[in-house]
Amino acid sequence: MIKREAEDRHGEKSYFGHPLAETPRKGRYALVLLGICAVAFAGVTLTLVMTGRSLVWDTDGRLLYFPFMVAEGEWLRDIAASLLAGDLAIPLYSFDIGFGADWLITASGNSNEPINLLAALCPPEASEWLYDTLVFLRFYLAALTFSFYCFSRGRGKGATLVGALCYVLCGYVLFWGVLRHPNFIDFSMLLPLVFMGADKLFVGKNPLLLIVSMAGIFVYSIYFAYMTCLFLLAYCLITYFAYPRERSVGDFALLAGEFALCLLAAFALVGFSTIPMFITLTSMGRVGIVRDIAFFQTADFYESFVSVLLGNHEAQNASVLGAVPVIAILALFVARGSMDERERRAWGCGIALCLIGALVAKVGSVFNGFGYPTDRWEVIFGFCAAYAVVLLVPAIPRFSALQWRRLTALVAVVAVWALAYAFKEGTLLGFATVVMFAGIYGALALWAFFRRRAAGSSPSLPRVLTERCLRALLILAVVANATVHVGLFMSPLGSSYYKEFIRAGHVWGTREQLDLSSVLDQLDDTYRINRTDTTYGRNGSFVHGYKGFDFYSSFYNQAADDFRQSMGLSDDVKSTMFDGTRQRAALDYVLGAKYYISSTEAADSIPDGYVKIADLGEAHNGLSYELYETDRALPLAFTYDSVVTQQDYEELDLVQRQELLTRALVLAVDKAEGTAPQFDTKREQLGVVEAEGAAVQNGRIVVTKKNASVTFSLNGRAGCETYLCFEGLRFRSMPVSDAERLADEPQLAYATSPSFTPTKTCWVTVSDGVRESSFEIATSASPKYAGKEDWAVNLGAGDDPVTSITVTFGGVGVYEFSELYGATQSVEVIRENVEHLQEGNDATVAFGSNAMAVSVEAADSTVAGENRDKSRYVFVSVPYSRGWSATMDGKPVEILKANVGFMAVEVDGESHELRFSYVTPGLDLGLACTGIAVVLLSVFELGWVRRRRTMANQRGISEKEPIR
């Protein structure tokens, strides 16, 4: 091991900013690291291999990461083909994602993730193997960049190797990255480079690494960039005050300004991505929602905390560190004199902040942009613990007998704490983590004992007692520890987590589910296809290339969600998922659902007016599917003759609103010529018939047991869709005893005990005895919470009137609401309204790359000049966005926000040609920022090099000397 005692310009030891050139044989190290990472990776994925599973998680992996990776490959190949053909085309918008969405924004985290660019070189059918390979590549690169960071701080290769393994085997990299969201590993890959760049700035070296690495995080994720800025703030403050420096107010201000400029340069450098993403992020309703978040964690969290650190976990958990990093953290408290004191204090301070943060729930919310608490930020915990291991490895041989006794006492406390929880939990994994922790520490203590004993009796040490052997022992311990605790967690002996991964060799078929290629060619693409269920996966329309309704992405168009919430669509509690219309006939017709795909099991729920036209065969999930068609649906562009204001719309109830859309266009304007028509939809009063395990009180229902039910009576109508509607519905979980008291004494004020762990979500099921429908509600503490409080549950249409509805509540607590009512809507009236719109429709639409062309025929009129005075509106059921612009007969025309979340253009009675064109909002400004940043950064770098050479010539010093 090479000992580095480099000095800075003051003659003091330099703790960071070492050139990588000082570390010899880096290529050999990289190869050794590759081999050991391969062994470690094989160990933590062993259960998946033995059970024949891939690395594609059956939720986000199947619905997001895998299809978007494949799509990115196809997207890049299409761009390359258009370039070679001399007609460059870059698709920015897809009409096949949900109601239509920006491809780059929707696929963010994938389309802007550099490693996924390799998908362009892979045949789609081989994408599963590429996906798994890229997971390992990220895993290895994270270990490599951590190693570079350690080298830049003068650390030896042996200790760095052990620390790098600890880093990539921490909870964040494994459970948030490898085994869930592979692109999350990119953050752990770039974070060491950011800190390495910060160190360079501290010693007056070139800031380029900091700028480029931060730009990498910005382009990948603004969310993680925000988190990095918080990390960087703490890192810089600790570094500034913990290490030697001529400190002053001016020096602090200058350094703070330099860091701020670097962050600004990084943001601007990738402005083509950051500015559009920032615009989208700030427009989404789920960002900034007020949440009821406890300051502290639950009692069970504190009981299990140490056990989780060692590897005992029931779900993905970023707090997991493993035995060796925990020992290293404890060693920092007793290693005075055996480690460099400044390093020990600095990293001890960092770890202390991480421990405090992990114990306070509010910290997880702050790092999540003041949203729901999450432990993703604990990647920094894994980073600090891994570096503590790097400090520990060379210090172990220098520990005194007193230090070993103190360390043993701390280890005993941790072991007893973890063992107590293991007895309470009674799981094999709980006991196994304690045994491994004690065994690894015992082996280290014995090694140190025999080394001290041998050193006192002989000038040469046996090979087994050398520091090289120690490093080998630690590498073996780290890999074995991770293999065992991850293996037990994933196996049937633990949580059987392996079941959440798609079988190897089946990912492509699972993505496709149904072969629709021959069917889609025969369908009219100016209409949409809806689905009765999502059993073959969200984003199915995007995968197959048809215009649909289903959608899943963390980045969505808020206009589309505004529409869904205004309708009380009971499809999903989250704003990030759209599951169609829940078979509400009026919405299907207005939004262009000419076709339905349904499993044979769900065919009864298809709205009135659809007839079967084709068998689609059996899907990958074992269900048989059929295709249905109706002649009642309106195309994606049609004309309205009458208009009402959105204020009039909002005064209606949830079911009347959809009837209004079949009669008039809703515009976000102050005044309109039209008024809300008389409605056939009837609001039905509810009467309580029976309550089992629940008490119906004024404005709330108190539920005293799980799956309690309340049966309501109503005067239903034959030939109508029947709805049960909640407005302002909120759920508050509470203990059974509290709920029972509140049910008996409604006037009581209730406050939940701090020791109670509340349920964050629950299901509500509505049934009329023949059909049933369920929806999930969430409290503000839930990650799923998106502010949804209005739900209109459609029970479908039948020949007989519905006279009673039973509501089943899945969670104990209070269900508060502002309104609870039934509603009936005539299928025949809706059909007549839609037929009237069809007869008056003068528009046809055609779709192109980032564009739509709408032809509008002249209105029927025999009076000269009447058409010019006639006012019509061309409605397009594509979500409203500032990225859209329109021309009419070649001249710019205003796009109006219509029907809450879509678009319309006002036209007169003459014939017209409309063209809608799309550019990602903020992309033009972002490209300009990127161009300016590239020029300025290039000028800065040229000036830096020239200045360095000038100073080197004048002073006769190396060109690598820091510039001050």
Side-chain angles (χ1 to χ4, degrees):
M1 182 176 65
I2 296 175
K3 185 176 181 181
R4 299 181 178 84
E5 294 291 342
E7 296 181 349
D8 67 8
R9 63 192 179 95
H10 303 292
E12 297 173 331
K13 179 181 176 182
S14 175
Y15 288 89
F16 34 72
H18 293 254
L20 291 181
E22 290 184 5
T23 304
R25 300 178 182 176
K26 292 184 291 295
R28 180 180 176 185
Y29 173 87
L31 288 175
V32 172
L33 180 65
L34 176 63
I36 294 177
C37 280
V39 173
F41 192 82
V44 296
T45 59
L46 182 62
T47 302
L48 294 179
V49 174
M50 293 178 65
T51 55
R53 305 282 171 158
S54 69
L55 285 174
V56 181
W57 184 35
D58 197 22
T59 304
D60 287 5
R62 176 171 62 90
L63 303 178
L64 284 176
Y65 307 129
F66 182 77
F68 284 163
M69 184 194 75
V70 175
E72 182 173 0
E74 295 171 342
W75 182 69
L76 291 169
R77 287 190 291 270
D78 289 345
I79 293 174
S82 69
L83 179 62
L84 293 174
D87 185 21
L88 178 63
I90 302 177
L92 301 174
Y93 197 89
S94 173
F95 296 101
D96 302 335
I97 303 177
F99 296 107
D102 187 300
W103 149 248
L104 293 178
I105 297 296
T106 304
S108 180
N110 296 270
S111 61
N112 53 359
E113 200 266 354
I115 292 178
N116 269 350
L117 295 174
L118 295 172
L121 306 176
C122 179
E125 294 78 8
S127 295
E128 176 183 338
W129 315 115
L130 175 67
Y131 184 96
D132 290 355
T133 301
L134 294 186
V135 175
F136 172 71
L137 177 61
R138 295 181 180 99
F139 179 84
Y140 168 66
L141 290 177
L144 192 61
T145 57
F146 179 86
S147 300
F148 290 160
Y149 172 78
C150 294
F151 295 156
S152 76
R153 295 182 70 94
R155 296 293 151 190
K157 294 196 291 289
T160 295
L161 182 58
V162 181
L165 272 180
C166 291
Y167 181 52
V168 294
L169 293 175
C170 73
Y172 172 85
V173 175
L174 285 181
F175 303 120
W176 279 110
V178 172
L179 299 174
R180 275 216 168 186
H181 313 277
N183 56 350
F184 280 20
I185 308 174
D186 290 24
F187 183 39
S188 56
M189 197 168 67
L190 291 166
L191 190 61
L193 299 180
V194 171
F195 292 149
M196 189 174 166
D199 287 348
K200 285 179 174 289
L201 198 59
F202 265 105
V203 296
K205 292 189 175 183
N206 195 325
L208 184 63
L209 178 60
L210 175 60
I211 294 171
V212 172
S213 56
M214 270 306 304
I217 295 180
F218 270 122
V219 77
Y220 159 61
S221 168
I222 288 184
Y223 163 66
F224 282 120
Y226 158 77
M227 198 181 290
T228 305
C229 290
L230 297 181
F231 293 162
L232 201 55
L233 176 62
Y235 182 88
C236 291
L237 288 174
I238 292 172
T239 300
Y240 187 81
F241 291 104
Y243 294 98
R245 187 180 183 88
E246 295 177 356
R247 287 182 282 272
S248 68
V249 174
D251 177 65
F252 184 87
L254 178 62
L255 198 58
E258 290 175 349
F259 272 100
L261 284 174
C262 287
L263 294 178
L264 182 61
F267 183 89
L269 188 63
V270 289
F272 66 88
S273 174
T274 54
I275 291 177
M277 286 307 307
F278 184 79
I279 290 172
T280 301
L281 194 64
T282 54
S283 72
M284 295 192 304
R286 71 187 184 111
V287 176
I289 286 180
V290 177
R291 297 174 181 272
D292 182 17
I293 298 171
F295 185 83
F296 293 106
Q297 305 280 11
T298 62
D300 183 69
F301 177 91
Y302 295 118
E303 288 181 45
S304 65
F305 181 64
V306 166
S307 186
V308 170
L309 290 181
L310 296 177
N312 180 24
H313 47 96
E314 297 177 351
Q316 83 281 0
N317 199 312
S319 298
V320 173
L321 298 177
V324 173
V326 171
I327 292 170
I329 290 172
L330 297 175
L332 287 179
F333 292 98
V334 302
R336 186 170 186 174
S338 298
M339 293 181 187
D340 182 284
E341 190 60 17
R342 287 192 175 94
E343 289 273 71
R344 186 180 77 88
R345 289 180 178 179
W347 289 94
C349 181
I351 287 172
L353 289 175
C354 291
L355 285 169
I356 294 170
L359 297 173
V360 177
K362 202 74 174 180
V363 171
S365 172
V366 171
F367 275 107
N368 199 31
F370 296 91
Y372 62 87
T374 175
D375 63 0
R376 294 171 191 161
W377 69 270
E378 291 184 39
V379 60
I380 193 65
F381 196 7
F383 180 87
C384 291
Y387 195 82
V389 172
V390 177
L391 295 176
L392 173 67
V393 173
I396 288 177
R398 298 195 291 268
F399 270 34
S400 66
L402 177 62
Q403 286 173 324
W404 278 109
R405 286 195 294 272
R406 290 174 175 172
L407 181 57
T408 301
L410 292 176
V411 167
V413 170
V414 169
V416 170
W417 187 345
L419 189 61
Y421 185 74
F423 274 109
K424 176 187 175 181
E425 189 184 39
T427 64
L428 176 60
L429 180 56
F431 289 107
T433 52
V434 178
V435 170
M436 287 187 292
F437 176 62
I440 290 171
Y441 177 73
L444 280 178
L446 285 174
W447 181 90
F449 171 77
F450 284 114
R451 179 185 168 91
R452 288 199 311 274
R453 187 172 174 180
S457 60
S458 173
S460 61
L461 293 172
R463 180 175 297 178
V464 72
L465 297 177
T466 62
E467 291 186 34
R468 176 174 291 184
C469 182
L470 170 64
R471 294 192 293 269
L473 171 66
L474 287 170
I475 289 170
L476 179 63
V478 170
V479 173
N481 183 215
T483 299
V484 172
H485 80 71
V486 175
L488 285 175
F489 161 66
M490 298 189 71
S491 74
L493 297 173
S495 298
S496 294
Y497 189 58
Y498 76 94
K499 293 180 179 178
E500 295 195 23
F501 293 82
I502 300 175
R503 292 190 177 277
H506 291 252
V507 176
W508 179 257
T510 303
R511 170 188 178 267
E512 291 291 305
Q513 285 287 350
L514 285 167
D515 182 8
L516 301 178
S517 55
S518 59
V519 174
L520 294 179
D521 291 340
Q522 303 172 31
L523 305 184
D524 188 339
D525 75 343
T526 62
Y527 293 88
R528 289 191 171 97
I529 302 176
N530 205 349
R531 291 155 54 192
T532 54
D533 51 38
T534 56
T535 51
Y536 76 84
R538 295 180 179 90
N539 291 332
S541 60
F542 176 64
V543 168
H544 290 284
Y546 64 80
K547 297 172 184 66
F549 291 83
D550 58 292
F551 172 93
Y552 179 31
S553 172
S554 296
F555 300 94
Y556 59 92
N557 186 326
Q558 184 59 41
D561 194 52
D562 288 342
F563 170 77
R564 295 171 64 250
Q565 292 204 44
S566 76
M567 286 290 170
L569 273 168
S570 57
D571 57 344
D572 201 282
V573 67
K574 297 182 288 297
S575 293
T576 55
M577 293 183 177
F578 308 167
D579 289 346
T581 61
R582 283 299 179 107
Q583 296 78 59
R584 292 164 67 165
L587 298 184
D588 279 326
Y589 301 158
V590 170
L591 296 176
K594 185 178 180 67
Y595 308 99
Y596 251 96
I597 291 176
S598 175
S599 64
T600 53
E601 296 180 352
D604 289 344
S605 64
I606 296 175
D608 184 66
Y610 286 85
V611 295
K612 177 181 170 183
I613 60 171
D615 287 308
L616 300 177
E618 186 175 298
H620 194 273
N621 58 15
L623 299 178
S624 296
Y625 284 83
E626 300 166 331
L627 179 66
Y628 292 78
E629 183 180 11
T630 186
D631 59 1
R632 299 179 187 177
L634 291 153
L636 270 63
F638 63 90
T639 54
Y640 277 104
D641 291 328
S642 58
V643 176
V644 297
T645 67
Q646 190 158 323
Q647 182 178 351
D648 291 336
Y649 169 88
E650 290 171 352
E651 290 173 355
L652 305 176
D653 67 39
L654 299 175
V655 185
Q656 287 175 332
R657 290 174 181 177
Q658 67 185 23
E659 182 181 348
L660 174 60
L661 298 188
T662 66
R663 298 189 176 203
L665 181 70
V666 177
L667 285 182
V669 295
D670 295 332
K671 293 182 180 180
E673 293 182 4
T675 58
Q678 293 296 314
F679 295 102
D680 173 79
T681 301
K682 290 188 177 179
R683 184 163 174 157
E684 308 288 355
Q685 295 299 315
L686 301 175
V688 179
V689 176
E690 181 183 10
E692 181 183 351
V696 181
Q697 299 173 352
N698 184 29
R700 70 187 186 190
I701 298 174
V702 180
V703 172
T704 58
K705 70 175 184 178
K706 289 185 177 180
N707 298 320
S709 63
V710 178
T711 300
F712 298 96
S713 63
L714 75 163
N715 295 320
R717 293 188 293 161
C720 290
E721 287 184 340
T722 302
Y723 292 82
L724 181 71
C725 302
F726 293 89
E727 292 190 24
L729 178 63
R730 292 190 175 191
F731 168 63
R732 178 167 180 171
S733 175
M734 60 175 51
V736 172
S737 57
D738 290 357
E740 289 175 343
R741 282 197 298 272
L742 192 61
D744 294 336
E745 302 177 66
Q747 73 280 4
L748 285 178
Y750 54 91
T752 304
S753 168
S755 62
F756 174 67
T757 302
T759 300
K760 295 180 180 179
T761 64
C762 70
W763 285 87
V764 177
T765 300
V766 180
S767 172
D768 64 359
V770 179
R771 293 150 297 193
E772 71 174 33
S773 181
S774 300
F775 65 94
E776 186 181 22
I777 57 176
T779 69
S780 63
S782 169
K784 297 180 179 181
Y785 182 71
K788 295 187 178 183
E789 298 181 350
D790 298 338
W791 306 92
V793 183
N794 178 23
L795 290 171
D799 295 332
D800 299 322
V802 174
T803 57
S804 69
I805 293 176
T806 299
V807 185
T808 304
F809 301 92
V812 175
V814 177
Y815 297 76
E816 297 178 321
F817 50 85
S818 58
E819 290 191 77
L820 172 60
Y821 56 90
T824 55
Q825 188 168 84
S826 169
V827 172
E828 183 62 22
V829 169
I830 295 299
R831 182 188 65 78
E832 292 173 356
N833 293 345
V834 171
E835 284 182 352
H836 178 73
L837 287 174
Q838 288 175 328
E839 291 169 359
N841 179 34
D842 299 316
T844 56
V845 62
F847 298 92
S849 177
N850 306 324
M852 298 179 288
V854 180
S855 297
V856 186
E857 297 178 356
D860 293 333
S861 177
T862 57
V863 181
E866 184 175 316
N867 277 348
R868 292 193 193 92
D869 299 329
K870 183 178 178 65
S871 178
R872 298 177 295 170
Y873 291 85
V874 177
F875 171 69
V876 182
S877 58
V878 170
Y880 179 87
S881 167
R882 286 187 292 171
W884 284 106
S885 60
T887 60
M888 182 166 63
D889 302 326
K891 298 179 181 179
V893 65
E894 181 185 6
I895 295 178
L896 303 171
K897 194 172 186 180
N899 288 354
V900 182
F902 301 98
M903 298 188 290
V905 170
E906 184 178 8
V907 299
D908 58 24
E910 303 290 337
S911 62
H912 295 285
E913 294 294 328
L914 297 175
R915 180 172 178 81
F916 293 79
S917 301
Y918 184 84
V919 176
T920 302
L923 182 60
D924 292 342
L925 176 60
L927 288 171
C929 286
T930 296
I932 294 171
V934 168
V935 171
L936 293 179
L937 189 59
S938 299
V939 170
F940 172 81
E941 284 299 308
L942 289 172
W944 181 280
V945 172
R946 182 174 299 175
R947 184 182 172 197
R948 181 184 297 278
R949 288 177 179 173
T950 301
M951 293 179 65
N953 292 334
Q954 290 175 349
R955 301 180 186 179
I957 60 175
S958 168
E959 291 185 10
K960 295 181 179 180
E961 179 72 16
I963 293 179
R964 293 284 179 180

